[in-house]
Amino acid sequence: MSRFFSEKYANLVPYTPGEQPRDMQYVKLNTNESPFPPSPSVKAAVAAEVDHLQLYSDPECTALRGKLAEVYGVRPEQVLMVNGSDEVLNFAFMAFADEAHPLVFADITYGFYPVFADLNHIPYEEIPLKADFSIDVRDYCGIGKTIVIANPNAPTGMCLPLADIEQILRTNPDNVVIVDEAYVDFGADSAVSLVDKYDNLLVVQTFSKSRSMAGARLGFGIGNEKLIADLNTVKYSTNPYNVNRLTAVAGIAALNENAYYMNNCRTIAENRAWTVKALTRLGFEVLDSKANFVFAKSDRIDGQEMYEQLKVRGVLVRHFTKPRIAEYNRITIGTMEQMQILVDTIERILEG
Ligand code: PMP
């Protein structure tokens, strides 16, 4: 830390992104990216847009927002486009949480929530998941704080039924409930269907996972128009051109080929089922995942050890050292070929 770094960030511990290694080619199952490339029309749209890079992007993302609203069955005024869903999470924390409206989220969930809370000096409470890593909905009912729930949760992959989300919304009418649906396309029910019914709901999604665009940085929020207007106030006070021209046209092209991406999601769900079966056969305990990853542990090998043994053999997964989950590894679901390599490699490791 330099002697110039503001005291207000003295205790800030930044988020640690998953490794993006450059030392060798790994079977990369550590950051929940899609194993499938974007559709060809995305490439063509980006190539054509390069000719216009001398111009700023449209701060309102008019065309992209319109297309997205059409695909999701909402009005454009209910949509905010952002530079990766991390950005809308940060904007939402800035807009809807403070000393008077502290945040609550699970003790085991997306690691960026406490970082954004600290960055914005928002007090927060972590509510422990149950022993089986499920959420006890009663913990959130009528809690009277700004709530953020990842559904499906990360890194467990487990999800809440929509009826539970609705109960949380209904019992916290004076607080915003942020539902982070980064992984919803792989098998969970989306709360987008509830945005007209609850003015305190903000749904957050991303193009990073199901739409093969992690490197383009595109996310979105869907909610009541007044919530979206507040988020726009924060956005226009931060970075009006948050979505660049190349990403915007890539997003439109991807939405025009939604069937390709939703079909990829079905393939991932099939590969997930195969992987769960194979890992279970090897003695792993695998949590019930509706995401594009599984969270697994074995009493035959320590979590950290398994991560390291896989890495030296060219397979990268994600290990967290946090208590309660250090026994586990989070494994992204890739192609069948990748999953076969994973399972074969684990088999060899266990044979010692
Ligand atoms: N929410 C959750 C639960 C995530 O796991 C991630 C990915 N790290 C994000 C949000 C952010 O994704 P992105 O910024 O790429 O949209």
Side-chain angles (χ1 to χ4, degrees):
M1 191 191 304
S2 82
R3 63 197 167 90
F4 306 106
F5 196 49
S6 170
E7 265 297 309
K8 68 179 183 277
Y9 295 134
N11 297 321
L12 186 63
V13 180
Y15 178 72
T16 312
E19 295 166 86
Q20 298 292 351
R22 279 167 283 269
D23 59 333
M24 61 178 264
Q25 278 285 330
Y26 288 91
V27 175
K28 194 171 176 303
L29 306 177
N30 69 327
T31 45
N32 299 339
E33 290 140 326
S34 172
F36 305 112
S39 63
S41 65
V42 168
K43 194 171 171 179
V46 170
E49 190 63 20
V50 169
D51 288 338
H52 306 294
L53 281 186
Q54 72 276 29
L55 302 174
Y56 282 108
S57 57
D58 170 13
E60 294 181 33
C61 293
T62 315
L64 174 57
R65 213 155 43 90
K67 182 69 204 175
L68 191 123
E70 183 192 314
V71 169
Y72 283 83
V74 296
R75 293 183 296 284
E77 300 71 34
Q78 295 174 301
V79 178
L80 178 81
M81 301 306 307
V82 284
N83 187 325
S85 59
D86 282 336
E87 187 175 59
V88 68
L89 291 169
N90 189 26
F91 287 172
F93 285 18
M94 290 165 87
F96 307 123
D98 51 33
E99 289 278 340
H101 308 85
L103 279 159
V104 285
F105 42 82
D107 62 336
I108 295 162
T109 190
Y110 184 32
F112 228 135
Y113 303 153
V115 179
F116 283 140
D118 285 338
L119 178 70
N120 295 302
H121 306 289
I122 302 162
Y124 62 87
E125 179 192 341
E126 293 182 313
I127 301 181
L129 295 178
K130 291 196 274 189
D132 65 0
F133 296 110
S134 64
I135 282 180
D136 190 335
V137 179
R138 289 168 303 184
D139 290 340
Y140 294 82
C141 288
I143 196 166
K145 295 177 180 172
T146 302
I147 296 168
V148 54
I149 292 184
N151 195 38
N153 197 10
T156 63
M158 291 166 61
C159 72
L160 277 182
L162 215 47
D164 286 356
I165 297 283
E166 192 161 5
Q167 201 183 341
I168 294 170
L169 285 161
R170 205 180 323 112
T171 57
N172 291 283
D174 297 325
N175 288 88
V176 172
V177 179
I178 303 162
V179 184
D180 178 351
E181 297 187 347
Y183 302 102
V184 76
D185 292 330
F186 301 100
D189 288 330
S190 173
V192 167
S193 59
L194 300 175
V195 289
D196 280 329
K197 199 164 166 193
Y198 296 96
D199 68 355
N200 57 334
L201 168 63
L202 179 70
V203 179
V204 169
Q205 290 196 23
T206 179
F207 281 57
S208 293
K209 323 290 178 181
S210 55
R211 291 197 176 92
S212 303
M213 271 177 51
R217 313 306 301 128
L218 186 62
F220 57 97
I222 297 183
N224 179 274
E225 336 203 334
K226 288 188 176 158
L227 290 188
I228 298 300
D230 293 339
L231 291 170
N232 268 310
T233 300
V234 174
K235 162 182 148 148
Y236 281 89
S237 308
T238 313
N239 183 9
Y241 308 108
N242 59 338
V243 177
N244 72 68
R245 295 187 81 100
L246 302 181
T247 295
V249 295
I252 295 168
L255 289 167
N256 280 329
E257 291 201 64
N258 211 33
Y260 164 77
Y261 294 99
M262 294 308 122
N263 191 46
N264 286 347
C265 290
R266 276 190 290 278
T267 303
I268 293 294
E270 284 164 23
N271 297 357
R272 179 179 68 211
W274 181 90
T275 307
V276 170
K277 228 175 180 173
L279 291 175
T280 308
R281 183 171 46 77
L282 292 175
F284 279 80
E285 189 183 302
V286 189
L287 301 187
D288 180 23
S289 172
K290 293 280 183 283
N292 67 338
F293 55 83
V294 291
F295 207 45
K297 73 166 180 181
S298 162
D299 49 20
R300 295 165 66 189
I301 183 163
D302 169 71
Q304 172 83 29
E305 176 74 12
M306 154 121 153
Y307 159 79
E308 285 168 9
Q309 294 277 344
L310 280 169
K311 188 171 179 186
V312 294
R313 289 168 177 80
V315 180
L316 206 53
V317 298
R318 186 96 194 249
H319 180 255
F320 299 91
T321 51
K322 195 172 171 159
R324 280 188 86 183
I325 56 171
E327 285 297 291
Y328 287 80
N329 277 286
R330 192 194 68 190
I331 304 166
T332 302
I333 302 298
T335 61
M336 266 315 293
E337 192 188 7
Q338 290 177 310
M339 302 330 287
Q340 188 73 61
I341 294 172
L342 167 88
V343 170
D344 291 348
T345 311
I346 291 176
E347 230 166 348
R348 267 186 281 128
I349 293 168
L350 292 178
E351 280 161 10

